[in-house]
Amino acid sequence: SQKIEQNSEALNIQEGKTATLTCNYTNYSPAYLQWYRQDPGRGPVFLLLIRENEKEKRKERLKVTFDTTLKQSLFHITASQPADSATYLCAPDTTDKLIFGTGTRLQVFP
Amino acid sequence: DVKVTQSSRYLVKRTGEKVFLECVQDMDHENMFWYRQDPGLGLRLIYFSYDVKMKEKGDIPEGYSVSREKKERFSLILESASTNQTSMYLCASGPYRGAYEQYFGPGTRLTVT
């Protein structure tokens, strides 16, 4: 069955450093992969969408890579800030819907 | 900005009650989705809809039904609530058919006692 893996352990980094979150998927080949941010008690917020032929996409301090050979996406936040602390969800698509990972909690401390 | 609203932030119901969760979006999106989110299990798709009066089962439709009589409104119905349906319920809408970005509401935390 289709499976998505994100590191369930929280990632703790110091302000100003680059945070790197990993998303691995198995048993399917998505054409798109999305990343969302979720704050406690709130709905997820869309951040970035990357297509299978794009390899890398940037938006301000965010960068996403998509390696279809490794079946992996990496999500980077450069110059991280305490306000970046949240849970980040990856969501590779299937034909008509998204499948969400369980998310990785990022904690940026001053 | 896209706005997705859900009828309640918190809801407490008794086992066996019929529960209605309402979702409204204001951006004329074609697609609407209902998810539940539980610790360690992530977001799981219950039902989705691409058009008025159309519905598709997601990954965990058992115990739920949906209604979409108007484009902007998508309702989730628990015919007979059970304690294992205690969860955070999230509604989302999206502009195109296919897996484009989704816009989520604030969620309804439902407790069934």
Short mmCIF file of all heavy atoms in Angstrom, two decimals, chain B residues 51-102:
data_model
loop_
_atom_site.label_atom_id
_atom_site.label_comp_id
_atom_site.label_asym_id
_atom_site.label_seq_id
_atom_site.Cartn_x
_atom_site.Cartn_y
_atom_site.Cartn_z
N ASP B 51 -18.11 18.14 -7.27
CA ASP B 51 -19.19 18.94 -7.84
C ASP B 51 -20.41 18.78 -6.95
O ASP B 51 -20.49 17.85 -6.13
CB ASP B 51 -19.48 18.49 -9.27
CG ASP B 51 -20.16 19.55 -10.10
OD1 ASP B 51 -20.57 20.60 -9.53
OD2 ASP B 51 -20.31 19.34 -11.31
N VAL B 52 -21.35 19.66 -7.17
CA VAL B 52 -22.61 19.58 -6.42
C VAL B 52 -23.24 18.21 -6.64
O VAL B 52 -23.25 17.69 -7.75
CB VAL B 52 -23.55 20.70 -6.87
CG1 VAL B 52 -24.91 20.57 -6.20
CG2 VAL B 52 -22.95 22.06 -6.58
N LYS B 53 -23.72 17.66 -5.57
CA LYS B 53 -24.41 16.37 -5.55
C LYS B 53 -23.51 15.18 -5.90
O LYS B 53 -23.99 14.07 -6.05
CB LYS B 53 -25.64 16.38 -6.47
CG LYS B 53 -26.70 17.37 -6.02
CD LYS B 53 -28.02 17.16 -6.74
CE LYS B 53 -29.02 18.25 -6.38
NZ LYS B 53 -29.37 18.22 -4.95
N MET B 54 -22.22 15.41 -6.02
CA MET B 54 -21.28 14.31 -6.26
C MET B 54 -20.44 14.08 -5.02
O MET B 54 -20.10 15.02 -4.31
CB MET B 54 -20.39 14.62 -7.45
CG MET B 54 -21.13 14.68 -8.77
SD MET B 54 -20.04 14.85 -10.16
CE MET B 54 -19.23 13.25 -10.15
N LYS B 55 -20.13 12.82 -4.78
CA LYS B 55 -19.29 12.48 -3.65
C LYS B 55 -18.46 11.25 -3.98
O LYS B 55 -18.87 10.41 -4.78
CB LYS B 55 -20.13 12.23 -2.40
CG LYS B 55 -21.12 11.08 -2.55
CD LYS B 55 -22.00 10.94 -1.32
CE LYS B 55 -23.01 9.82 -1.49
NZ LYS B 55 -23.91 9.69 -0.33
N GLU B 56 -17.30 11.18 -3.36
CA GLU B 56 -16.41 10.04 -3.54
C GLU B 56 -15.92 9.60 -2.18
O GLU B 56 -15.60 10.44 -1.34
CB GLU B 56 -15.19 10.43 -4.39
CG GLU B 56 -15.51 10.95 -5.77
CD GLU B 56 -15.75 9.82 -6.76
OE1 GLU B 56 -15.47 8.65 -6.40
OE2 GLU B 56 -16.21 10.10 -7.87
N LYS B 57 -15.82 8.31 -1.97
CA LYS B 57 -15.29 7.81 -0.70
C LYS B 57 -13.78 8.04 -0.65
O LYS B 57 -13.07 7.88 -1.64
CB LYS B 57 -15.58 6.32 -0.57
CG LYS B 57 -17.05 6.01 -0.37
CD LYS B 57 -17.27 4.52 -0.20
CE LYS B 57 -18.75 4.22 0.00
NZ LYS B 57 -18.99 2.75 0.15
N GLY B 58 -13.35 8.40 0.54
CA GLY B 58 -11.92 8.50 0.79
C GLY B 58 -11.39 7.21 1.37
O GLY B 58 -11.87 6.12 1.04
N ASP B 59 -10.46 7.31 2.28
CA ASP B 59 -9.83 6.12 2.83
C ASP B 59 -10.57 5.52 4.02
O ASP B 59 -10.44 4.33 4.29
CB ASP B 59 -8.39 6.47 3.25
CG ASP B 59 -7.56 6.95 2.09
OD1 ASP B 59 -7.63 6.31 1.01
OD2 ASP B 59 -6.86 7.97 2.22
N ILE B 60 -11.37 6.33 4.72
CA ILE B 60 -12.05 5.84 5.92
C ILE B 60 -13.50 6.33 5.96
O ILE B 60 -13.92 7.02 6.87
CB ILE B 60 -11.31 6.27 7.21
CG1 ILE B 60 -11.05 7.79 7.21
CG2 ILE B 60 -10.00 5.50 7.37
CD1 ILE B 60 -10.68 8.32 8.58
N PRO B 61 -14.34 5.94 5.00
CA PRO B 61 -15.72 6.45 4.95
C PRO B 61 -16.71 5.78 5.90
O PRO B 61 -17.81 6.30 6.11
CB PRO B 61 -16.11 6.16 3.50
CG PRO B 61 -15.34 4.92 3.16
CD PRO B 61 -14.01 5.05 3.88
N GLU B 62 -16.31 4.67 6.48
CA GLU B 62 -17.27 3.91 7.30
C GLU B 62 -17.75 4.73 8.48
O GLU B 62 -16.96 5.29 9.23
CB GLU B 62 -16.62 2.61 7.79
CG GLU B 62 -16.22 1.63 6.70
CD GLU B 62 -14.91 2.03 6.00
OE1 GLU B 62 -14.15 2.84 6.59
OE2 GLU B 62 -14.67 1.54 4.89
N GLY B 63 -19.06 4.75 8.66
CA GLY B 63 -19.66 5.48 9.77
C GLY B 63 -19.97 6.93 9.46
O GLY B 63 -20.49 7.65 10.32
N TYR B 64 -19.65 7.36 8.23
CA TYR B 64 -19.87 8.75 7.83
C TYR B 64 -20.67 8.80 6.53
O TYR B 64 -20.65 7.87 5.75
CB TYR B 64 -18.54 9.46 7.59
CG TYR B 64 -17.59 9.46 8.76
CD1 TYR B 64 -16.61 8.48 8.87
CD2 TYR B 64 -17.65 10.44 9.74
CE1 TYR B 64 -15.72 8.47 9.93
CE2 TYR B 64 -16.77 10.44 10.80
CZ TYR B 64 -15.80 9.45 10.89
OH TYR B 64 -14.93 9.44 11.94
N SER B 65 -21.33 9.92 6.33
CA SER B 65 -21.92 10.24 5.03
C SER B 65 -21.72 11.73 4.80
O SER B 65 -21.32 12.45 5.71
CB SER B 65 -23.39 9.86 4.95
OG SER B 65 -24.14 10.59 5.90
N VAL B 66 -21.95 12.17 3.56
CA VAL B 66 -21.76 13.58 3.23
C VAL B 66 -22.90 14.07 2.36
O VAL B 66 -23.65 13.29 1.77
CB VAL B 66 -20.42 13.84 2.50
CG1 VAL B 66 -19.24 13.62 3.42
CG2 VAL B 66 -20.31 12.98 1.25
N SER B 67 -22.98 15.38 2.28
CA SER B 67 -24.00 16.02 1.44
C SER B 67 -23.42 17.28 0.84
O SER B 67 -22.78 18.07 1.55
CB SER B 67 -25.23 16.36 2.29
OG SER B 67 -26.15 17.13 1.55
N ARG B 68 -23.64 17.45 -0.46
CA ARG B 68 -23.21 18.69 -1.10
C ARG B 68 -24.35 19.13 -2.02
O ARG B 68 -24.40 18.78 -3.20
CB ARG B 68 -21.92 18.51 -1.89
CG ARG B 68 -21.32 19.85 -2.28
CD ARG B 68 -19.92 19.73 -2.76
NE ARG B 68 -19.35 21.01 -3.12
CZ ARG B 68 -18.28 21.16 -3.87
NH1 ARG B 68 -17.66 20.10 -4.36
NH2 ARG B 68 -17.82 22.37 -4.13
N GLU B 69 -25.24 19.94 -1.48
CA GLU B 69 -26.39 20.46 -2.21
C GLU B 69 -26.08 21.77 -2.92
O GLU B 69 -26.71 22.11 -3.92
CB GLU B 69 -27.57 20.65 -1.25
CG GLU B 69 -28.06 19.35 -0.63
CD GLU B 69 -28.64 18.41 -1.68
OE1 GLU B 69 -29.35 18.88 -2.59
OE2 GLU B 69 -28.38 17.19 -1.58
N LYS B 70 -25.10 22.50 -2.40
CA LYS B 70 -24.66 23.75 -3.01
C LYS B 70 -23.14 23.71 -3.16
O LYS B 70 -22.45 23.06 -2.37
CB LYS B 70 -25.08 24.95 -2.17
CG LYS B 70 -26.57 25.16 -2.12
CD LYS B 70 -26.91 26.44 -1.37
CE LYS B 70 -28.40 26.69 -1.36
NZ LYS B 70 -28.75 27.95 -0.67
N LYS B 71 -22.63 24.42 -4.13
CA LYS B 71 -21.20 24.36 -4.43
C LYS B 71 -20.35 24.78 -3.24
O LYS B 71 -19.28 24.24 -3.01
CB LYS B 71 -20.89 25.25 -5.64
CG LYS B 71 -19.50 25.08 -6.18
CD LYS B 71 -19.31 25.90 -7.45
CE LYS B 71 -17.95 25.65 -8.07
NZ LYS B 71 -17.77 26.41 -9.33
N GLU B 72 -20.81 25.76 -2.48
CA GLU B 72 -19.99 26.31 -1.42
C GLU B 72 -20.08 25.54 -0.11
O GLU B 72 -19.33 25.83 0.82
CB GLU B 72 -20.36 27.78 -1.17
CG GLU B 72 -21.74 28.00 -0.58
CD GLU B 72 -22.84 28.15 -1.63
OE1 GLU B 72 -22.60 27.74 -2.79
OE2 GLU B 72 -23.91 28.66 -1.27
N ARG B 73 -20.96 24.59 -0.01
CA ARG B 73 -21.24 23.94 1.27
C ARG B 73 -21.07 22.43 1.18
O ARG B 73 -21.61 21.80 0.27
CB ARG B 73 -22.66 24.29 1.71
CG ARG B 73 -23.01 23.86 3.12
CD ARG B 73 -24.45 24.29 3.43
NE ARG B 73 -24.60 25.74 3.39
CZ ARG B 73 -24.45 26.53 4.42
NH1 ARG B 73 -24.14 26.03 5.62
NH2 ARG B 73 -24.62 27.85 4.30
N PHE B 74 -20.36 21.87 2.15
CA PHE B 74 -20.11 20.42 2.18
C PHE B 74 -20.30 19.96 3.61
O PHE B 74 -19.61 20.44 4.52
CB PHE B 74 -18.68 20.15 1.70
CG PHE B 74 -18.37 18.71 1.38
CD1 PHE B 74 -19.31 17.86 0.83
CD2 PHE B 74 -17.08 18.21 1.58
CE1 PHE B 74 -19.00 16.55 0.51
CE2 PHE B 74 -16.76 16.90 1.25
CZ PHE B 74 -17.72 16.07 0.72
N SER B 75 -21.23 19.08 3.82
CA SER B 75 -21.59 18.65 5.17
C SER B 75 -21.13 17.23 5.43
O SER B 75 -21.24 16.36 4.54
CB SER B 75 -23.11 18.73 5.37
OG SER B 75 -23.57 20.04 5.15
N LEU B 76 -20.63 17.00 6.61
CA LEU B 76 -20.25 15.65 7.05
C LEU B 76 -21.25 15.21 8.10
O LEU B 76 -21.56 15.97 9.03
CB LEU B 76 -18.85 15.66 7.65
CG LEU B 76 -18.31 14.32 8.16
CD1 LEU B 76 -18.05 13.37 6.99
CD2 LEU B 76 -17.04 14.52 8.98
N ILE B 77 -21.76 14.01 7.96
CA ILE B 77 -22.79 13.49 8.85
C ILE B 77 -22.31 12.21 9.51
O ILE B 77 -21.85 11.29 8.83
CB ILE B 77 -24.09 13.22 8.06
CG1 ILE B 77 -24.55 14.49 7.34
CG2 ILE B 77 -25.19 12.70 8.99
CD1 ILE B 77 -25.36 14.26 6.12
N LEU B 78 -22.42 12.20 10.83
CA LEU B 78 -22.18 10.97 11.58
C LEU B 78 -23.56 10.44 11.95
O LEU B 78 -24.27 11.04 12.77
CB LEU B 78 -21.36 11.25 12.84
CG LEU B 78 -19.87 11.56 12.68
CD1 LEU B 78 -19.63 12.88 11.94
CD2 LEU B 78 -19.17 11.57 14.03
N GLU B 79 -23.98 9.37 11.32
CA GLU B 79 -25.35 8.88 11.48
C GLU B 79 -25.64 8.46 12.92
O GLU B 79 -26.72 8.71 13.44
CB GLU B 79 -25.60 7.71 10.53
CG GLU B 79 -25.52 8.08 9.06
CD GLU B 79 -26.71 8.93 8.60
OE1 GLU B 79 -27.74 8.97 9.32
OE2 GLU B 79 -26.61 9.58 7.54
N SER B 80 -24.69 7.82 13.56
CA SER B 80 -24.84 7.38 14.95
C SER B 80 -23.46 7.45 15.59
O SER B 80 -22.65 6.52 15.45
CB SER B 80 -25.40 5.96 14.99
OG SER B 80 -25.50 5.50 16.32
N ALA B 81 -23.20 8.57 16.24
CA ALA B 81 -21.85 8.83 16.74
C ALA B 81 -21.37 7.74 17.71
O ALA B 81 -22.15 7.23 18.53
CB ALA B 81 -21.80 10.19 17.42
N SER B 82 -20.10 7.42 17.58
CA SER B 82 -19.48 6.45 18.50
C SER B 82 -18.22 7.07 19.08
O SER B 82 -17.66 8.03 18.53
CB SER B 82 -19.15 5.15 17.76
OG SER B 82 -18.20 5.40 16.74
N THR B 83 -17.76 6.52 20.18
CA THR B 83 -16.60 7.10 20.86
C THR B 83 -15.35 7.09 19.99
O THR B 83 -14.49 7.96 20.13
CB THR B 83 -16.33 6.38 22.19
OG1 THR B 83 -16.18 4.97 21.94
CG2 THR B 83 -17.47 6.58 23.18
N ASN B 84 -15.24 6.11 19.09
CA ASN B 84 -14.04 6.08 18.23
C ASN B 84 -14.08 7.12 17.12
O ASN B 84 -13.16 7.20 16.30
CB ASN B 84 -13.81 4.68 17.66
CG ASN B 84 -14.92 4.20 16.76
OD1 ASN B 84 -15.79 4.97 16.38
ND2 ASN B 84 -14.90 2.93 16.40
N GLN B 85 -15.14 7.92 17.10
CA GLN B 85 -15.20 9.04 16.17
C GLN B 85 -14.81 10.36 16.84
O GLN B 85 -14.89 11.43 16.22
CB GLN B 85 -16.59 9.15 15.54
CG GLN B 85 -16.89 7.98 14.61
CD GLN B 85 -18.28 8.03 14.01
OE1 GLN B 85 -19.27 8.21 14.72
NE2 GLN B 85 -18.35 7.87 12.69
N THR B 86 -14.38 10.28 18.07
CA THR B 86 -13.79 11.44 18.73
C THR B 86 -12.50 11.79 18.01
O THR B 86 -11.61 10.96 17.88
CB THR B 86 -13.51 11.12 20.21
OG1 THR B 86 -14.74 10.98 20.91
CG2 THR B 86 -12.69 12.23 20.86
N SER B 87 -12.42 13.03 17.51
CA SER B 87 -11.29 13.40 16.68
C SER B 87 -11.37 14.89 16.34
O SER B 87 -12.34 15.57 16.65
CB SER B 87 -11.32 12.58 15.38
OG SER B 87 -10.16 12.79 14.60
N MET B 88 -10.33 15.36 15.64
CA MET B 88 -10.35 16.68 15.02
C MET B 88 -10.79 16.47 13.57
O MET B 88 -10.18 15.68 12.84
CB MET B 88 -8.96 17.31 15.07
CG MET B 88 -8.85 18.59 14.23
SD MET B 88 -9.80 19.96 14.90
CE MET B 88 -8.54 20.71 15.94
N TYR B 89 -11.83 17.19 13.17
CA TYR B 89 -12.34 17.10 11.80
C TYR B 89 -11.99 18.38 11.05
O TYR B 89 -12.27 19.48 11.49
CB TYR B 89 -13.85 16.87 11.81
CG TYR B 89 -14.19 15.48 12.28
CD1 TYR B 89 -14.37 15.21 13.64
CD2 TYR B 89 -14.29 14.42 11.38
CE1 TYR B 89 -14.64 13.92 14.08
CE2 TYR B 89 -14.57 13.13 11.81
CZ TYR B 89 -14.74 12.89 13.16
OH TYR B 89 -15.01 11.62 13.59
N LEU B 90 -11.38 18.18 9.89
CA LEU B 90 -10.92 19.31 9.08
C LEU B 90 -11.57 19.25 7.71
O LEU B 90 -11.57 18.22 7.05
CB LEU B 90 -9.40 19.25 8.93
CG LEU B 90 -8.63 19.59 10.20
CD1 LEU B 90 -7.25 18.97 10.18
CD2 LEU B 90 -8.53 21.09 10.38
N CYS B 91 -12.09 20.39 7.31
CA CYS B 91 -12.65 20.55 5.98
C CYS B 91 -11.65 21.31 5.12
O CYS B 91 -10.92 22.17 5.63
CB CYS B 91 -13.97 21.32 6.06
SG CYS B 91 -14.71 21.73 4.48
N ALA B 92 -11.61 21.01 3.83
CA ALA B 92 -10.72 21.72 2.92
C ALA B 92 -11.41 21.93 1.59
O ALA B 92 -12.32 21.16 1.22
CB ALA B 92 -9.40 20.96 2.74
N SER B 93 -10.97 22.94 0.86
CA SER B 93 -11.46 23.13 -0.51
C SER B 93 -10.27 23.33 -1.42
O SER B 93 -9.17 23.69 -0.98
CB SER B 93 -12.42 24.32 -0.60
OG SER B 93 -11.72 25.55 -0.46
N GLY B 94 -10.49 23.06 -2.71
CA GLY B 94 -9.42 23.21 -3.68
C GLY B 94 -9.99 23.64 -5.02
O GLY B 94 -11.12 23.31 -5.36
N PRO B 95 -9.19 24.39 -5.81
CA PRO B 95 -9.73 25.04 -7.00
C PRO B 95 -9.96 24.12 -8.19
O PRO B 95 -10.83 24.41 -9.00
CB PRO B 95 -8.66 26.09 -7.34
CG PRO B 95 -7.40 25.55 -6.76
CD PRO B 95 -7.80 24.79 -5.54
N TYR B 96 -9.19 23.06 -8.35
CA TYR B 96 -9.28 22.26 -9.56
C TYR B 96 -9.38 20.79 -9.22
O TYR B 96 -8.92 20.36 -8.18
CB TYR B 96 -8.02 22.44 -10.43
CG TYR B 96 -7.62 23.87 -10.63
CD1 TYR B 96 -6.46 24.36 -10.03
CD2 TYR B 96 -8.39 24.73 -11.40
CE1 TYR B 96 -6.08 25.66 -10.20
CE2 TYR B 96 -8.01 26.04 -11.57
CZ TYR B 96 -6.86 26.51 -10.98
OH TYR B 96 -6.49 27.79 -11.13
N ARG B 97 -9.95 20.06 -10.14
CA ARG B 97 -9.95 18.60 -9.96
C ARG B 97 -8.52 18.11 -10.07
O ARG B 97 -7.75 18.56 -10.89
CB ARG B 97 -10.81 17.92 -11.02
CG ARG B 97 -10.83 16.42 -10.83
CD ARG B 97 -12.02 15.78 -11.42
NE ARG B 97 -12.10 14.38 -11.04
CZ ARG B 97 -13.16 13.62 -11.23
NH1 ARG B 97 -14.23 14.13 -11.80
NH2 ARG B 97 -13.16 12.37 -10.86
N GLY B 98 -8.17 17.18 -9.26
CA GLY B 98 -6.78 16.73 -9.21
C GLY B 98 -6.15 17.25 -7.95
O GLY B 98 -6.75 17.98 -7.17
N ALA B 99 -4.93 16.89 -7.72
CA ALA B 99 -4.32 17.14 -6.42
C ALA B 99 -3.60 18.47 -6.38
O ALA B 99 -2.39 18.51 -6.21
CB ALA B 99 -3.42 15.98 -6.05
N TYR B 100 -4.30 19.55 -6.58
CA TYR B 100 -3.73 20.87 -6.38
C TYR B 100 -3.89 21.29 -4.93
O TYR B 100 -4.47 20.59 -4.13
CB TYR B 100 -4.41 21.88 -7.32
CG TYR B 100 -3.94 21.73 -8.74
CD1 TYR B 100 -4.54 20.84 -9.61
CD2 TYR B 100 -2.87 22.48 -9.22
CE1 TYR B 100 -4.10 20.68 -10.90
CE2 TYR B 100 -2.43 22.34 -10.52
CZ TYR B 100 -3.04 21.44 -11.37
OH TYR B 100 -2.60 21.30 -12.64
N GLU B 101 -3.38 22.46 -4.61
CA GLU B 101 -3.34 22.87 -3.21
C GLU B 101 -4.73 22.92 -2.62
O GLU B 101 -5.72 23.18 -3.31
CB GLU B 101 -2.66 24.24 -3.07
CG GLU B 101 -3.42 25.41 -3.63
CD GLU B 101 -3.05 25.70 -5.07
OE1 GLU B 101 -2.52 24.79 -5.76
OE2 GLU B 101 -3.29 26.83 -5.50
N GLN B 102 -4.77 22.65 -1.33
CA GLN B 102 -6.02 22.66 -0.59
C GLN B 102 -5.96 23.73 0.49
O GLN B 102 -4.90 24.01 1.06
CB GLN B 102 -6.28 21.30 0.03
CG GLN B 102 -6.48 20.21 -1.03
CD GLN B 102 -6.81 18.86 -0.45
OE1 GLN B 102 -7.17 18.72 0.72
NE2 GLN B 102 -6.68 17.82 -1.27
#
